[in-house]
Amino acid sequence: MPAYKRKIYLKDETFDPIYKTVNSGFYFKSRVLPGLLLATGFLILGTQVVYPLVYFKTQDEISKPAASSVLGIASGFSDFEFSELNTSSEKNEGSADLPQFFYLTIPKLKIDKALVETNAPTLKPDTALGHYTGSGLPGEVGNTFIYGHSVLPWFYNPKNYKTIFSTLGDLSAGDILNIKYNDKELTYKVEGLEILPTDKVNPLAEYKPKYLNESTITLMTCWPAGTKAKRLIVKAVMVE
């Protein structure tokens, strides 16, 4: 009968991580590097998503004009203005009791009594929506041209003028706009939307011929929301 031979097991440290020799390079790749990548990810998430979201959601400027500030952290539109509208220097005097502001309400977008500055002196509507100088006045025959900012839709806050028109593209034919002008309550109905290149926007163009004796409104913002590529135009006509 052959003699029993005891088996001897050899540890292969090449493939067994338990017995693998720990050195600085291995430790850095397995512990330090993943930690750094994770920390960087949280930093980017916090500064580029969470902070802008909280900022825009909590900045309520709808009730009063405020000091001008940066248009939007997330959008990158620092000090942005609608420079393509710089075509008019004549004010529309209209009625003798021309107010400094009037109010726009869009129930579908939860915009309530947003300030619109009459004959706005700036093309940067950071503290109120802008009524384009020289365009028509609400309730009168002609077209009232109103412009405002937009950013990426998830930063939308209907009480912040830096984001107020971010969901303007959600409007459709039949939606209602309300204007309060000199204590008059005016109702407009959306008839359509249009997307135009920036060089095709004419803020003084009439939406409908004046011989029809109709009062119309045009709302304008950047499109797609969060970019400056084109302009979204919303057209509405006053209803009885």
Side-chain angles (χ1 to χ4, degrees), residues 169-218:
D170 292 344
L171 292 176
S172 56
D175 289 332
I176 296 298
L177 315 177
N178 297 310
I179 294 285
K180 184 176 182 180
Y181 181 81
N182 274 346
D183 296 326
K184 295 180 180 178
E185 301 287 347
L186 309 171
T187 300
Y188 290 77
K189 182 180 290 186
V190 174
E191 290 197 336
L193 287 74
E194 185 178 11
I195 297 172
L196 296 176
T198 58
D199 60 351
K200 297 297 182 182
V201 177
N202 182 358
L204 297 178
E206 294 296 339
Y207 170 33
K208 293 196 174 185
K210 282 197 172 182
Y211 64 78
L212 294 177
N213 293 322
E214 290 192 282
S215 176
T216 62
I217 280 183
T218 295

Side-chain angles (χ1 to χ4, degrees), residues 97-113:
D97 54 346
L98 188 70
Q100 181 181 2
F101 296 97
F102 58 93
Y103 301 90
L104 170 68
T105 296
I106 308 178
K108 184 176 182 178
L109 305 184
K110 299 181 180 180
I111 296 174
D112 184 38
K113 295 183 176 63

Side-chain angles (χ1 to χ4, degrees), residues 54-97:
V54 172
Y55 174 82
F56 284 127
K57 290 294 185 182
T58 57
Q59 295 299 303
D60 294 349
E61 302 175 3
I62 206 76
S63 59
K64 62 183 183 303
S68 178
S69 58
V70 176
L71 167 61
I73 297 172
S75 67
F77 292 174
S78 176
D79 207 31
F80 173 73
E81 68 175 8
F82 295 100
S83 56
E84 74 275 7
L85 301 182
N86 193 18
T87 61
S88 174
S89 59
E90 296 183 4
K91 290 188 176 182
N92 186 343
E93 299 300 338
S95 305
D97 54 346

Side-chain angles (χ1 to χ4, degrees), residues 37-49:
L37 293 175
L38 187 62
T40 302
F42 278 118
L43 180 63
I44 294 174
L45 180 66
T47 58
Q48 300 301 314
V49 178

